[in-house]
Amino acid sequence: MDDGLQDLADHIAQSEPHSVQKWEIRNGELTLIGVRDQISSLIKFLRDDSQCRFESLIDICGVDYPDR
């Protein structure tokens, strides 16, 4: 596992516990599972935090369970 991604994931989860439900590193990529109502807060954190400084938003996915 990439220690850099592990450190980044830990930093994000500790800094934004109200925004991140869980995270995982798979195939060398970090995936964050966010709280629906906190997505904009999480995105702003990823952009503005000095350890993150994200510049591009590649994908936001949603899941609907209509039978539930």
Side-chain angles (χ1 to χ4, degrees):
M1 183 182 305
D2 186 340
D3 289 337
L5 283 179
Q6 176 77 42
D7 292 343
L8 178 60
D10 289 337
H11 170 69
I12 295 168
Q14 290 174 6
S15 298
E16 289 289 302
H18 60 282
S19 299
V20 178
Q21 288 181 335
K22 67 178 185 173
W23 58 267
E24 67 181 15
I25 298 172
R26 192 176 286 183
N27 299 321
E29 294 184 0
L30 172 60
T31 299
L32 299 172
I33 309 300
V35 176
R36 179 186 63 203
D37 296 337
Q38 298 297 321
I39 295 297
S40 63
S41 173
L42 179 57
I43 290 171
K44 288 175 186 173
F45 172 80
L46 294 173
R47 178 192 67 194
D48 297 339
D49 182 74
S50 64
Q51 291 184 352
C52 297
R53 300 194 43 126
F54 283 37
E55 296 180 2
S56 298
L57 175 62
I58 302 300
D59 206 357
I60 294 180
C61 298
V63 177
D64 184 20
Y65 299 101
D67 295 334
R68 188 169 16 164

